[in-house]
Amino acid sequence: MGCFITFEGGEGTGKTTIITYLNEYLTKKGYNVISTREPGGIEIAEQIRNIILDVKNTKMDYRTEALLYAASRTQHLAEKIIPALKEDKIVLCDRYLDSSLVYQGIARGLGIENVLKVNMFATEYMPNITFFIDVKPEICFKRIKDNNRAMDRLDLEKMDFHNMVYEGYKQIAKMYPERIVSIDGDRTIDEIIKDITKKIDELLGE
Ligand code: TYD
């Protein structure tokens, strides 16, 4: 079986850039790597995701949101992640189950246990390792503004929400100390990549 690696953190933490660098690093080492993000370009999962993030859907119940994320995750897993792992690939995934535990379980107040239960039905595979990219929300927001990035329905939540997400990740990292590695993301990309590749090399037995 391949290796399933996930990346977590709030908006603007740099997950996408980090994944791009890592893909190149691992590919150069001869590994077969795929990078993906929920909903992973999977048609059914994309359709579900569009409903969740549509700024018109202000009436969406938080439980609906949690269930839709879980549904989108199942499809992405079935069509893309599991086949890749069966082909012995390294899968780098931008956000996974921990996003639901934090955003829906903690920030939306549904409770970690409830969201975990739904996701245990939805999710067959837990990541081998998860990197939480730790950057304070005010720094993330400055980065998003500087990049002029468009905001979706969840980005538009108030600062309190994003602070709760940040604290939520810290809580989840403590809950799963064996799986989740916290990485200080407020440094140069080279420093960040060095820490992450060290952990991945250990995991891959190098
Ligand atoms: P995404 O498009 O991955 O945004 P980003 O570039 O910020 O990572 O995610 C969109 C939003 O969806 C983001 O605010 C986080 C949220 N989200 C959840 O609330 N629950 C989830 O399970 C996932 C995967 C994402």
Side-chain angles (χ1 to χ4, degrees):
M1 278 302 271
C3 187
F4 184 21
I5 305 174
T6 60
F7 297 82
E8 295 283 352
E11 280 80 329
T13 44
K15 300 189 298 300
T16 313
T17 313
I18 292 169
I19 290 172
T20 307
Y21 273 73
L22 279 177
N23 189 321
E24 206 182 296
Y25 171 86
L26 292 166
T27 305
K28 267 194 197 139
K29 283 192 126 182
Y31 290 106
N32 209 335
V33 188
I34 68 156
S35 301
T36 187
R37 62 190 289 273
E38 296 191 343
I42 301 303
E43 185 60 35
I44 295 170
E46 294 281 358
Q47 288 177 22
I48 298 170
R49 176 72 158 230
N50 288 341
I51 302 172
I52 307 173
L53 295 178
D54 191 331
V55 286
K56 288 200 299 292
N57 288 337
T58 49
K59 281 192 209 138
M60 190 177 292
D61 187 280
Y62 293 161
R63 278 170 300 181
T64 308
E65 188 179 284
L67 290 163
L68 288 174
Y69 269 120
S72 162
R73 179 162 302 131
T74 306
Q75 198 62 33
H76 179 211
L77 195 68
E79 278 193 51
K80 195 165 178 182
I81 298 176
I82 294 176
L85 291 173
K86 286 195 172 147
E87 285 168 11
D88 229 14
K89 291 182 178 156
I90 295 180
V91 178
L92 306 177
C93 187
D94 186 346
R95 295 194 184 281
Y96 192 63
L97 163 128
D98 298 301
S99 283
S100 284
L101 298 183
V102 170
Y103 282 77
Q104 282 66 50
I106 298 174
R108 296 297 202 202
L110 292 178
I112 298 173
E113 282 307 314
N114 290 331
V115 178
L116 191 59
K117 245 188 264 164
V118 169
N119 275 276
M120 283 296 105
F121 175 68
T123 309
E124 229 170 303
Y125 285 87
M126 285 301 274
N128 296 94
I129 193 164
T130 299
F131 292 100
F132 160 50
I133 313 303
D134 182 341
V135 184
K136 291 204 173 66
E138 47 285 12
I139 297 173
C140 297
F141 262 73
K142 199 180 164 305
R143 287 183 185 174
I144 292 173
K145 254 174 108 192
D146 291 350
N147 290 337
N148 275 330
R149 220 193 66 186
M151 298 226 170
D152 63 38
R153 194 171 62 86
L154 275 97
D155 291 336
L156 292 170
E157 288 288 342
K158 301 223 160 44
M159 203 60 200
D160 281 357
F161 179 83
H162 295 288
N163 283 327
M164 226 175 334
V165 165
Y166 180 67
E167 292 306 323
Y169 271 120
K170 296 201 144 184
Q171 191 179 329
I172 298 284
K174 276 196 204 123
M175 264 175 68
Y176 299 104
E178 264 109 72
R179 174 172 63 83
I180 303 182
V181 179
S182 296
I183 298 288
D184 176 0
D186 191 16
R187 295 178 296 164
T188 64
I189 185 76
D190 287 346
E191 287 170 315
I192 296 169
I193 293 293
K194 199 168 152 220
D195 280 4
I196 296 180
T197 49
K198 189 162 167 257
K199 284 279 171 199
I200 294 181
D201 288 345
E202 272 167 33
L203 183 74
L204 297 175
E206 293 199 11

